[in-house]
Amino acid sequence: MTVETHREEPLRLALIGMSGAGKTFWTKKLASAGYLAVSCDDRIEQKLASRLAAGGYAGINGVAAWMGWPDSATYAERESEYLAEEIHTLDEVLTELEKQPEKSMVLDTTGSVIHTGNNLLMRLRRQTTIVHLAASTEEQQLLIERYLNDPKPVLWRGAFQPKAGEKPRDTVARCYPALIAARRQSYEALAHCTLQVAALRGASLDALAFLKMIHDKMGSTR
């Protein structure tokens, strides 16, 4: 599926990558340029609203607080609830696109989109151009620090493996690189193209420059 910068053509992008890689930043840039933008996080939060409110939580950080640290007693159950709502959300979005082939959309996915199942992921590949925002090895530490200092919902799916006597923050610091590495493989297999996060840090980059980078990258992979 070719990415076009002509406004007459529907633009359908799905941004994937780890939390902190810049998916929301670029989605908002494209929204400011006039493209319809959908945040999976926002829709999932809406579906969880009553459960969040019961615990006094709100916002994406509230979702992370509701899920709890990965060693908490309720984490596994709430991780499953979150994933169920993510699957529901992605199905809704894809149904919208399937019913309206002329519709443009920039989809800000969650880091855990790869856990939604092959059926949904293949539908996502058919309906959108999937762009992986990839953090370099050097930037992994920054992603870890962001998670520790400003937690967003993360589905560990068994990757959190504490050692005896280890503090949870130390377990995160040790296990998060393995989580990143495993997900990176899955993201790269799913994506139509990959952009390096480091190449997107220029202050002069605007929405059109971002789209041109995708267009050029898609052309070079043919």
Side-chain angles (χ1 to χ4, degrees), residues 58-71:
I60 193 62
N61 295 97
V63 175
W66 169 80
M67 285 180 68
W69 208 245
D71 65 336

Side-chain angles (χ1 to χ4, degrees), residues 22-190:
K23 301 185 300 294
T24 299
F25 175 84
W26 285 105
T27 299
K28 288 180 177 177
K29 280 252 191 186
L30 290 164
S32 295
Y35 293 101
L36 172 68
V38 172
S39 164
C40 286
D41 269 329
D42 288 349
R43 290 200 179 188
I44 295 166
E45 182 191 338
Q46 290 167 8
K47 295 181 189 305
L48 292 170
S50 61
R51 282 164 277 182
L52 296 176
Y57 301 117
I60 193 62
N61 295 97
V63 175
W66 169 80
M67 285 180 68
W69 208 245
D71 65 336
S72 64
T74 58
Y75 177 81
E77 178 185 350
R78 291 180 177 181
E79 180 187 48
S80 294
E81 288 184 50
Y82 178 96
L83 181 56
E85 297 301 357
E86 179 169 14
I87 289 169
H88 187 193
T89 292
L90 189 56
D91 179 58
E92 284 180 343
V93 170
L94 291 171
T95 299
E96 288 176 35
L97 293 176
E98 288 160 354
K99 288 181 176 178
Q100 302 176 67
E102 76 290 347
K103 186 172 188 172
S104 291
M105 182 184 292
V106 180
L107 184 63
D108 179 9
T109 72
T110 74
S112 53
V113 68
I114 54 168
H115 295 300
T116 57
N118 285 338
N119 178 53
L120 282 174
L121 294 178
M122 289 306 98
R123 286 171 65 196
L124 185 65
R125 272 187 65 88
R126 286 194 295 270
Q127 294 301 322
T128 70
T129 295
I130 303 177
V131 181
H132 172 209
L133 303 185
S136 68
T137 303
E138 294 74 23
E139 291 167 311
Q140 286 186 12
Q141 188 59 38
L142 178 60
L143 296 183
I144 295 167
E145 289 170 5
R146 283 180 179 168
Y147 175 68
L148 289 171
N149 298 322
D150 184 25
K152 300 295 190 299
V154 170
L155 272 61
W156 285 85
R157 309 304 287 167
F160 185 86
Q161 295 289 334
K163 293 180 177 178
E166 189 174 44
K167 295 179 180 178
R169 288 177 70 90
D170 294 334
T171 306
V172 167
R174 181 174 55 80
C175 294
Y176 209 71
L179 181 70
I180 292 173
R183 285 202 176 172
R184 183 178 185 125
Q185 283 190 319
S186 297
Y187 294 146
E188 288 178 350
L190 179 63

